[in-house]
Amino acid sequence: MGSRSWVRVALVLYVISLQTEAKRLPWHFHQGEDHDWSTINGMEQDSADSLSSSWSHRFQSSGQKPVAKVYPRPVQEPALSQSKQTLQEPKKQSSWKYPQMPEKPTRPDVPFVPKVPVPANSVAVRCGEANVLVEVDQDFFGTGQLIEPADIRLGDCSMTSDDLSSHVLVFDSELHRCGSRFQMTEDELVYTFTLVYVPKALGATSIVRTNGATVHIECRYPRVQNVSSDDIRPTWVPYAATKVDEEDLVSSLRLMTDDWRFERATNTHYLGDLLHIEASVIQFNHVPLRVFVHSCVATAVPDMNASPRYSFVENHGCLVDAKLTGSRSRFLPRAQNDKLRFELEAFRFAQEHGDNIFITCQLVATAASTVPNHKACSFSNDQWASSDGMDEMCACCDSTCGTGEVAAGQWKSEASFGPIKVNDPS
């Protein structure tokens, strides 16, 4: 047998011997067992040396050398020991809970109705034949807090007297004073006043504890019979003396709203505004009449002859303001015989004369069935035009239109209103 054959036989025997010895070695262990690894390592070394010595002896006796020195290793690494863990019960039950969301309040079934203050019965009015008497309780709002006499006015008038024992403030005024407004209806003459309360700051503070208030006061007079007072009804002077006992005529000159439906509640305007003015005549026991504006002047005081004085309708019915100043002033086309409307662009006098203007006009009434010899002419586009469509009547406006005398059955009147306050828009 050759040398190579002996080597193969030796290797086979060596492997069989290793398997047999591995079964007998103490370091052949099972997973999960605890071992003394220092002892096992020593045993490994002793077993290896013994095995090596045994095989060397065998090969020496057979005349062959062992192939190599073998150091067996454990088949599996020892597993780490695991300690058993137990959960402990909490010593005390926790009382903490998640917070609850706040509940949204629900609307009550009955709707909330705010309390409305009830006006106190603190103003008394007595309308006389030519004056008005207004009594105001100082406990104006019925709250027990007395108002200051200086904080309340009737139009532009202060109180005339007071009763300290009963805390009553007294205003006594003529019907055409204290900023009153006059209005005529088919059945009544109406004078309207405004009682205004404007509280001032208390003491040295900058606060107030009451609201301001406005009270409208009216004095109404029936128009069944003639009224003797010129302040209530303007007096018509007929050209024909034979008509004075037969005719009952009333004229008016009013500042109107922009739509011409009502009399304007305030007389305040701004430069550039148009004043809407209506002249009218109401007759009783008479045939229908047509009214004309004969002339108009504006003054800074309620006197048509005062200075400064501006004449904007002249020459018996020619509205010259547009020609003199280039304004938009004009007569409107006539819609009713007994009314004549015109627009006047707002103006005011030099600053030293204040912001107020008063307007006084001469009016003429004629029978609507007759051909009038009076006119209402406006200047526009470098020419004159009539509000009644008879432009030929305006041909004399650039010269002299005669004396303006009228025949029998025609009447003239003077009417005025004011003050009109014209402010600067800036």
Side-chain angles (χ1 to χ4, degrees):
M1 184 179 296
S3 58
R4 292 186 177 179
S5 300
W6 283 109
V7 172
R8 293 178 179 173
V9 171
L11 288 176
V12 170
L13 294 176
Y14 175 70
V15 171
I16 294 173
S17 176
L18 283 179
Q19 291 178 351
T20 303
E21 291 293 331
K23 293 180 180 180
R24 296 199 311 262
L25 286 177
W27 46 258
H28 184 76
F29 60 91
H30 298 281
Q31 185 176 0
E33 295 181 356
D34 294 333
H35 305 278
D36 188 350
W37 289 101
S38 61
T39 304
I40 295 175
N41 290 334
M43 293 175 62
E44 286 182 348
Q45 184 67 36
D46 294 341
S47 300
D49 293 341
S50 175
L51 181 62
S52 176
S53 175
S54 173
W55 279 98
S56 298
H57 178 72
R58 292 177 184 177
F59 278 104
Q60 287 177 1
S61 61
S62 61
Q64 295 180 354
K65 295 182 178 180
V67 177
K69 189 175 183 178
V70 178
Y71 296 93
R73 289 289 184 265
V75 176
Q76 184 176 359
E77 292 292 334
L80 296 178
S81 63
Q82 298 180 355
S83 62
K84 184 177 182 181
Q85 297 180 357
T86 58
L87 296 176
Q88 296 182 356
E89 295 293 332
K91 296 182 179 180
K92 184 179 180 180
Q93 188 69 23
S94 175
S95 62
W96 182 88
K97 297 181 180 179
Y98 283 99
Q100 295 182 354
M101 293 295 293
E103 295 184 0
K104 184 177 180 181
T106 57
R107 185 182 298 273
D109 295 335
V110 179
F112 173 74
V113 179
K115 182 179 179 180
V116 179
V118 178
N121 188 18
S122 56
V123 179
V125 180
R126 185 174 66 219
C127 297
E129 183 176 344
N131 72 314
V132 60
L133 183 68
V134 181
E135 296 181 350
V136 180
D137 192 339
Q138 277 192 274
D139 187 7
F140 192 60
F141 295 101
T143 60
Q145 183 176 352
L146 302 182
I147 65 174
E148 292 294 331
D151 294 347
I152 190 166
R153 300 175 68 86
L154 182 66
D156 53 3
C157 298
S158 303
M159 69 172 188
T160 54
S161 61
D162 59 0
D163 186 347
L164 297 178
S165 60
S166 58
H167 299 292
V168 174
L169 310 178
V170 179
F171 297 85
D172 190 358
S173 169
E174 298 178 0
L175 292 176
H176 64 281
R177 294 185 61 248
C178 297
S180 66
R181 299 187 300 275
F182 173 68
Q183 181 181 9
M184 288 187 301
T185 65
E186 294 183 0
D187 302 320
E188 293 179 317
L189 304 176
V190 182
Y191 284 88
T192 305
F193 298 83
T194 303
L195 185 70
V196 181
Y197 170 63
V198 181
K200 294 183 176 61
L202 297 174
T205 69
S206 58
I207 66 170
V208 295
R209 295 195 181 276
T210 57
N211 294 325
T214 301
V215 180
H216 296 286
I217 298 171
E218 290 185 349
C219 287
R220 296 177 173 270
Y221 300 88
R223 290 178 51 188
V224 177
Q225 298 178 350
N226 291 345
V227 180
S228 59
S229 174
D230 290 341
D231 294 331
I232 299 178
R233 179 187 295 179
T235 301
W236 284 86
V237 180
Y239 283 102
T242 56
K243 298 292 184 179
V244 68
D245 294 333
E246 301 176 10
E247 308 302 340
D248 185 13
L249 304 177
V250 177
S251 68
S252 70
L253 195 66
R254 300 189 296 170
L255 189 63
M256 305 295 290
T257 57
D258 292 350
D259 59 4
W260 298 97
R261 297 181 59 191
F262 306 101
E263 185 175 3
R264 187 180 174 91
T266 174
N267 289 350
T268 301
H269 285 79
Y270 294 89
L271 291 176
D273 288 349
L274 287 176
L275 279 62
H276 298 80
I277 304 174
E278 180 183 83
S280 64
V281 57
I282 301 176
Q283 65 279 347
F284 300 90
N285 301 322
H286 197 282
V287 295
L289 297 178
R290 181 184 288 115
V291 66
F292 294 91
V293 178
H294 214 226
S295 64
C296 285
V297 295
T299 54
V301 295
D303 180 3
M304 64 176 299
N305 297 314
S307 180
R309 181 175 185 271
Y310 175 55
S311 175
F312 57 90
V313 177
E314 54 187 24
N315 210 0
H316 313 296
C318 301
L319 205 164
V320 298
D321 181 64
K323 184 175 182 180
L324 295 177
T325 65
S327 69
R328 296 171 291 161
S329 302
R330 65 186 182 113
F331 283 109
L332 298 184
R334 190 188 297 273
Q336 297 175 242
N337 283 326
D338 59 347
K339 294 180 181 179
L340 181 62
R341 296 168 174 174
F342 62 97
E343 296 175 336
L344 177 66
E345 189 169 335
F347 62 88
R348 66 185 181 191
F349 293 102
Q351 190 62 41
E352 60 269 19
H353 298 289
D355 300 330
N356 294 334
I357 61 173
F358 295 81
I359 293 178
T360 303
C361 296
Q362 299 290 334
L363 308 182
V364 173
T366 65
S369 59
T370 62
V371 178
N373 54 356
H374 290 269
K375 55 193 174 297
C377 299
S378 305
F379 186 80
S380 178
N381 298 325
D382 295 329
Q383 61 183 0
W384 292 94
S386 170
S387 63
D388 295 303
M390 297 179 290
D391 295 347
E392 63 277 6
M393 298 289 295
C394 304
C396 63
C397 285
D398 288 328
S399 55
T400 301
C401 293
T403 61
E405 293 295 334
V406 295
Q410 298 181 349
W411 296 262
K412 66 179 180 180
S413 173
E414 180 180 295
S416 62
F417 67 91
I420 300 172
K421 186 176 181 61
V422 181
N423 297 325
D424 190 335
S426 61

